[in-house]
Amino acid sequence: MPSETLTVTDNRTGKTYELPISDGTIRATDLRQIRISPDDFGLMSYDPAFMNTASCRSAITFIDGDQGILEYRGYPIEQLAEQSNFLEVAYLLIYGELPTKEQFETFRYHITHHTFVHENIKEFMRGFRHDAHPMGMLLGTVGALSTFYPDAKLINDARSREIQTHRLIAKVPTISAFCYRHSLGLPYVYPDNDLSYTGNFLSMMFKMTEAKYQPNPVLEKALDVFFILHADHEQNAGTNAVRAIGSTEVDPYSAVAGGIGALYGPLHGGANEAVLRMLREIGSVDRVPDFIKGVKNGERLLMGFGHRVYKNYDPRARAIKKAADSVFEVTGVNPLLKIGLELERIALEDDYFIKRKLYPNVDFFSGLIYEAMGLPAEIFTVLFAIPRTAGWLAQWLEMTADPEQKIARPRQVYTGQRRRDYIPVSQRG
Ligand code: CMC
């Protein structure tokens, strides 16, 4: 009769233990009973970089990395990208179900009516250097929002949690656009509540002297699809940062600022910017084989390739590639696309990449499309942070409601010196 347990024999003591298995996991704390003496701390699991540790139970995003499946609340990403819109997806992530028409209208109303930021935010942002990276500015400014909304500290109050959620989803695009305008020395553009979520973002980015900015509907729709594709991705580095910081019961602005910091890194959301720089550096299709040789020699990474979870084509990359055609019809094809397609072609046929199951990830093509839309490389990761804010908040809300969660505090394996006596500087060799 099979049983849902794991039998472990400790060969140091000869003792046998039976550990329950649930949802394909054992509880790491169940290992603690395995000790060699009463004063032994007990067995721990050692898992640098969380290669095989589930840190939470979550009902938000499902990924099957081997099959290349991504679902939000059970809905396949391909269906959401084709049939839904970003605000509806944000609602789905946060509340768990697709909204009725009325629920959607109410949600949209709340998001639209929280897009303005306090005038002092503008003053605060003026302090950034003219060439400050937009992700650094976004990180600092979202963190600063916590000082504008002291009620955000009430994380055990459901209404407060909801209002901060609306504020963040509404204000991150405004701050993001301000970051872009700041880097160009252009005046900030206030939100236009008549426009869609992405239409308003494009207006705040690109509006000049016209009385009303009219977003190109194809680009507005493409950006909306990209936002859907980037909205959540279960326990990645940024989300793990938001959950870890949020577990201290700090306000969500501080937690989301931490997520932005994690996302900024070139191995995470910063990869889309790094891909574009890499393509520019390669410069022409005939230099691709040489570049691939360098990657295989371990001299550098092929940015936009590989993923901790996906060992198959990233479904988001496939959807982005599909959306690319509509964008390029409006903007003209980005000349770097040829280099990207050649890199992809060679990599998908090459043993080095096949053996390691390295496929294009979401960042491989997104930068090319953003650049064709007239967006500079420095803003690419910001375009990731805007929709991911909805995912971070869904994860933060789930965490605050989870009675099993406590302050996140990993253990360590100490490898340093043990007790030794202090030596005055005059006696040190
Ligand atoms: N180019 C060349 N080799 C690679 C790459 C790459 N992009 N990614 C992984 N490898 C190799 C790696 O060197 C290792 O080889 P070996 O077994 O010989 O030592 C093997 O593949 C396994 O890689 P890993 O580093 O153990 O894998 P990981 O799960 O720790 O890292 C990753 C995942 C995404 C950080 C990594 O694939 C990478 O650095 N990719 C490039 C950066 C990138 O595109 N990041 C965006 C990720 S998707 C968006 C997001 O979620 O933020």
Side-chain angles (χ1 to χ4, degrees), residues 72 77 86 225-233 272 316 320 362-363 366 370 383-385 387-389 391:
Y72 295 159
I77 193 70
F86 171 68
V225 171
F226 295 166
F227 280 7
I228 292 172
L229 298 175
H230 286 86
D232 194 53
H233 213 232
N272 52 16
R316 302 168 300 172
I320 283 201
V362 68
D363 290 321
S366 58
Y370 291 148
L383 296 170
F384 196 151
R388 185 53 60 85
T389 299

Side-chain angles (χ1 to χ4, degrees), residues 63-69 308-313 357 359:
I63 301 176
D64 182 329
D66 292 325
Q67 309 268 345
I69 294 173
R308 170 63 59 78
V309 181
Y310 292 119
K311 301 303 169 197
N312 199 328
Y313 212 102
K357 298 189 174 165
Y359 293 89

Side-chain angles (χ1 to χ4, degrees), residues 203 206 232 347 367 371 425:
S203 166
F206 297 127
D232 194 53
E371 189 182 64
V425 68

Side-chain angles (χ1 to χ4, degrees), residues 267-269 271 301-302 304-308 352 356 358 361 363:
L267 297 188
H268 194 1
L301 291 172
L302 174 53
F305 258 68
H307 199 275
R308 170 63 59 78
Y352 175 95
R356 291 170 178 77
L358 299 171
N361 59 48
D363 290 321

